[in-house]
Amino acid sequence: MASPNSVLPRGFTWTDYSLLIQEFLNAGYRAVSYGEFDPTQTHVIIRHDIDFSLSKALDIALIEAEGVSAHYFVLLRTEFYNICSHSDLEIVEKIRDLGHEIGLHFDAARYEDRADVLQAAAHWECVILESIVSRPVTSISFHRPANSLLAMSNCLAGRQHTYQPKFFSDVAYCSDSQGAFRFGHPLDREAFRARAAMQLLTHPIWWTPELVPDRLDLIDRFLDGRSSLLRREAAANCQPYAKRLAEADGAARQAGSLAGAPCL
Ligand SMILES: [Zn+2]
């Protein structure tokens, strides 16, 4: 139990995240996998859906590594990262090697809305992901699920999915979707006070070293970083473009130094 004087986290800094997890551990929770989860026990499933930034996910994975293991769900079919690329695969492998589980973040909207099609597609993506991360993929999380998928109680492609009632509607479920705990902070939930089983979902993009009041800035920052990476990669693959980029950088630097020059 936290002492009455302890500072309970309510923000979205990395320190807040670390304190949040610590509060669960102090309260006697055990962080478990979907396979181990028992709704009658003081169990918490710690889950991260990676919609944007793998490197932000690694930041969270490093924070957790000292106390808990969590589930990191990665998209295969996204424009925001590519887990087959050298740099992104390196990040996923680091998260895996910290002792966390890699699951499939499955975007059903990419496929025809038919049960047999979705089963086959999820199986196909799981097999690909398993070959990339060299580990069995035992759980699936839907990306922006339709209501029909939220009501699906059976497994998908032979794997448990995170919205099955035993993980979702039958227990307390907390999510920082869109950058806020809109249904109450996890530590304020009745289930937490009762030490009842919970599933805690966070999206690493929203958690930062320092407080960022405008949450949407975080997406802009991510996109700026991704754009810089792609420009560097384009330069590495095309010499004339590298020259053009260097000239643009030089011109920008020169403009900056002129702007900073004292008035005569
Ligand atoms: Zn998602």
Side-chain angles (χ1 to χ4, degrees):
M1 282 284 289
S3 76
N5 295 325
S6 66
V7 178
L8 294 179
R10 290 292 186 274
F12 279 82
T13 67
W14 289 345
T15 302
D16 291 324
Y17 186 76
S18 180
L19 289 170
L20 171 63
I21 296 303
Q22 196 55 53
E23 287 298 328
F24 269 89
L25 296 178
N26 291 346
Y29 276 89
R30 195 157 76 82
V32 297
S33 67
Y34 287 89
E36 294 171 309
F37 186 72
D38 180 343
T40 68
Q41 298 294 311
T42 306
H43 281 178
V44 59
I45 295 172
I46 301 175
R47 159 184 161 208
H48 308 283
D49 286 355
I50 309 176
D51 290 348
F52 292 105
S53 170
L54 284 169
S55 66
K56 295 292 295 289
L58 177 58
D59 292 329
I60 295 294
L62 287 163
I63 292 169
E64 289 170 335
E66 303 203 351
V68 293
S69 66
H71 295 74
Y72 286 78
F73 289 93
V74 296
L75 289 157
L76 287 193
R77 305 192 66 187
T78 176
E79 309 299 334
F80 295 124
Y81 56 81
N82 170 14
I83 65 165
C84 286
S85 75
H86 177 74
S87 56
D88 285 346
L89 178 57
E90 206 169 56
I91 292 174
V92 173
E93 287 174 340
K94 279 183 186 164
I95 293 172
R96 178 200 66 194
D97 293 344
L98 285 166
H100 303 299
E101 192 160 323
I102 307 297
L104 176 69
H105 200 25
F106 182 62
D107 187 356
R110 303 275 181 191
Y111 303 95
E112 192 184 341
D113 185 17
R114 267 179 32 205
D116 59 330
V117 171
L118 294 180
Q119 291 284 349
H123 174 76
W124 176 66
E125 290 200 18
C126 282
V127 169
I128 294 170
L129 181 56
E130 285 173 341
S131 75
I132 295 171
V133 300
S134 307
R135 289 284 190 285
V137 170
T138 61
S139 50
I140 297 173
S141 171
F142 288 112
H143 174 61
R144 296 190 296 141
N147 285 340
S148 57
L149 296 174
L150 291 180
M152 197 175 100
S153 60
N154 52 329
C155 287
L156 183 70
R159 284 130 177 124
Q160 314 213 65
H161 74 83
T162 61
Y163 294 103
Q164 285 177 273
K166 58 184 173 178
F167 306 125
F168 180 56
S169 48
D170 293 351
V171 296
Y173 177 85
C174 295
S175 168
D176 68 348
S177 188
Q178 298 178 32
F181 286 110
R182 288 175 296 155
F183 301 103
H185 191 276
L187 301 183
D188 296 330
R189 297 287 293 267
E190 185 52 43
F192 180 79
R193 290 195 200 100
R195 307 309 186 232
M198 298 175 76
Q199 181 178 184
L200 174 64
L201 165 63
T202 62
H203 298 77
I205 188 80
W206 303 127
W207 298 80
T208 48
E210 306 293 336
L211 178 69
V212 177
D214 185 345
R215 317 294 289 143
L216 300 183
D217 274 355
L218 298 172
I219 295 179
D220 277 334
R221 289 182 197 182
F222 162 72
L223 293 174
D224 289 347
R226 199 72 193 168
S227 174
S228 299
L229 182 148
L230 291 176
R231 283 176 192 280
R232 287 197 303 276
E233 196 64 16
N237 282 274
C238 176
Q239 221 170 29
Y241 185 76
K243 191 164 173 275
R244 176 175 166 161
L245 204 60
E247 285 167 0
D249 280 353
R253 264 198 299 276
Q254 196 176 15
S257 66
L258 285 176
C263 294
L264 296 174

